Amino acid sequence: MIGSYLRLTPAEVERASHDPDWAAEYAHSLYDRDDAAAAARLYETDKAWNALDFLLTRRGFPVDVVFGEADMPWPAGQDWGYGPPRLLPADRVRAAAEALDAHAPDVLAEGVTPADLAAANVYPQIVWERGEEPDWVVAHWEGLAAYLRAAARDGDALLVWIS
């Protein structure tokens, strides 16, 4: 299970809201490319998504950057892996970017042990049961923070999904 993000301009959000097939095709077309422009539009947190949610919620991060905050107005049955993508509107992307300094990577996992993550049943649980530290989750937070800043700077919204 991998956390995935797709940056959309306001015009692309409008198009995606009326044409979920276009949104899926657009995302898949970017996955098939190996260039900087495609990499700037897509981001993945790999298996760190659930630990990011746990750590960000614990620290009171004001925006749900892991699961998005709004349903897309699509017909039932849209599934991009583990359900339909959700939207993080551009104003909420901006709010997330503005909150990043107060939630710096160096303090994200402060005071949290692998045993805490295992006890909370955070995916992938086997990692925490082996005693691995959440450093790799923090590295994904650094990458996601840069991605959020770029999206906020450009006025983009995000589609967010688990695949």
Side-chain angles (χ1 to χ4, degrees):
M1 295 171 64
I2 295 172
S4 301
Y5 298 81
L6 173 65
R7 286 176 54 181
L8 296 175
T9 66
E12 291 168 338
V13 170
E14 179 65 23
R15 182 172 182 186
S17 71
H18 299 292
D19 190 352
D21 292 334
W22 171 83
E25 289 170 18
Y26 178 53
H28 291 299
S29 74
L30 292 172
Y31 276 114
D32 292 339
R33 291 173 32 191
D34 186 21
D35 60 74
R41 304 308 293 172
L42 287 171
Y43 187 78
E44 292 183 342
T45 57
D46 196 42
K47 296 176 193 276
W49 62 272
N50 195 212
L52 282 170
D53 182 56
F54 177 83
L55 295 170
L56 290 168
T57 299
R58 177 183 162 270
R59 293 197 47 82
F61 196 75
V63 178
D64 188 348
V65 296
V66 175
F67 297 107
E69 295 188 341
D71 292 327
M72 291 297 288
W74 292 343
Q78 292 296 317
D79 189 337
W80 287 23
Y82 292 90
R86 297 194 68 212
L87 183 66
L88 191 60
D91 64 323
R92 299 301 290 155
V93 172
R94 251 186 332 278
E98 290 168 1
L100 290 172
D101 289 340
H103 298 84
D106 61 332
V107 297
L108 182 65
E110 194 172 83
V112 177
T113 68
D116 297 329
L117 295 163
N121 200 29
V122 172
Y123 177 85
Q125 186 151 3
I126 193 166
V127 170
W128 318 123
E129 290 170 352
R130 288 191 306 237
E132 291 184 33
E133 294 295 326
D135 298 347
W136 62 278
V137 175
V138 172
H140 282 290
W141 179 232
E142 289 175 318
L144 182 56
Y147 181 80
L148 289 166
R149 282 187 176 101
R153 178 196 64 228
D154 294 344
D156 290 341
L158 302 177
L159 278 186
V160 181
W161 70 98
I162 307 298
S163 60

